[in-house]
Amino acid sequence: MNSLPRINAVYWITLIAASVFGTNTGDYVSDELGIGHLSGLPWLALLFGAILIAERVLRPALPLLFWLAIITVRTAATNIGDAFHDFHLGFAVSLPVVSLAFVLAVAAYRRLGGGVAENGAAKVDWAYWLCMMMAGAWGTIMGDFTSFGLTSPPLFPAMGTVWLSGLLALVFIGGGRGRLVGGWYYWLAVGMVRAAGTAAGDALAHALEGPDHSLLPALGISGGVFLLLVLGFYGRRAAGNIVQPTC
């Protein structure tokens, strides 16, 4: 890609907002648009491809396109994680399967030379996007497991958000000495961001759905916050958060 975000504090803040928004978009695509969890994946793949092509063609490069690609991947990952319910496969199956797939994806990315370049941005290739996809699927299942399967009676999304946000805070606290900018620890943090974002997105949707069970209010709020953060952090006046890749 022609412009990539530097991995710093604003990157993580934006990624958290993207995870919440991507949870709502995933549910909106599958439920309110009636496409289903798996039937919409080819359309999301086409959208993802169009975003990558636009990012390569447009000049000057727009950092917003990177984050739109992240949202598209997160939307697809939400539906992949939720698709296990369509086949009546519980957390005892979905969580180990997707955890293994996530680990293998990260191992492949690192084996292919993935990591963080000297300019502070991640190496973005097909393996990177695969890791983002699996991190999103793992986070979706982990978020749902924490909210509905961890305790009896269940915590539900609001309290699940509190628990997972606490764990995410511990991950960030333990991320000193460069751990949060590459390697296995980086992907652990991404996965935990996805998990906390899933619970938070569901809690927001449940709080705002009203009698008609519409996701539009939650979608508008989470999407608006995400867009404001991207424009504020990655606009022209914040070019220090953007780097040109060297690989």
Side-chain angles (χ1 to χ4, degrees):
M1 303 189 79
N2 291 315
S3 63
L4 296 170
R6 193 183 304 276
I7 299 177
N8 54 17
V10 299
Y11 167 86
W12 289 108
I13 293 171
T14 309
L15 192 67
I16 291 170
S19 186
V20 177
F21 182 39
T23 299
N24 294 147
T25 57
D27 291 341
Y28 182 81
V29 167
S30 62
D31 298 338
E32 293 209 10
L33 294 184
I35 297 177
H37 293 124
L38 297 180
S39 299
L41 295 182
W43 298 103
L44 291 171
L46 289 174
L47 176 60
F48 178 74
I51 292 171
L52 295 187
I53 292 172
E55 206 279 339
R56 296 291 292 179
V57 171
L58 293 179
R59 295 292 185 275
L62 300 175
L64 176 61
L65 291 175
F66 170 84
W67 288 106
L68 289 179
I70 288 286
I71 289 296
T72 304
V73 169
R74 174 59 166 141
T75 301
T78 298
N79 287 328
I80 290 174
D82 288 341
F84 283 89
H85 301 303
D86 297 342
F87 300 97
H88 306 289
L89 298 174
F91 297 120
V93 174
S94 61
L95 193 54
V97 168
V98 176
S99 296
L100 177 60
F102 185 22
V103 169
L104 292 176
V106 175
Y109 177 66
R110 289 178 54 77
R111 186 175 181 83
L112 293 171
V116 177
E118 293 181 359
N119 58 19
K123 178 185 177 183
V124 175
D125 55 13
W126 67 267
Y128 170 88
W129 291 115
L130 177 62
C131 288
M132 277 293 177
M133 177 73 76
M134 298 318 304
W138 182 85
T140 297
I141 296 171
M142 178 59 73
D144 288 345
F145 172 72
T146 303
S147 297
F148 300 106
L150 182 62
T151 63
S152 181
L155 296 172
F156 296 110
M159 188 56 65
T161 302
V162 174
W163 280 45
L164 288 168
S165 296
L167 291 176
L168 178 60
L170 292 177
V171 170
F172 283 142
I173 290 171
R177 297 182 181 180
R179 294 190 185 97
L180 284 174
V181 296
W184 289 95
Y185 199 91
Y186 166 81
W187 288 108
L188 170 63
V190 172
M192 288 304 302
V193 165
R194 299 300 201 227
T198 295
D202 288 343
L204 181 64
H206 292 170
L208 299 177
E209 63 182 0
D212 58 351
H213 303 290
S214 175
L215 287 169
L216 284 177
L219 197 66
I221 291 176
S222 60
V225 170
F226 166 74
L227 184 59
L228 288 174
L229 288 176
V230 171
L231 294 177
F233 287 150
Y234 297 97
R236 291 185 177 181
R237 295 183 180 179
N241 295 318
I242 306 165
V243 298
Q244 299 298 318
T246 59
C247 55

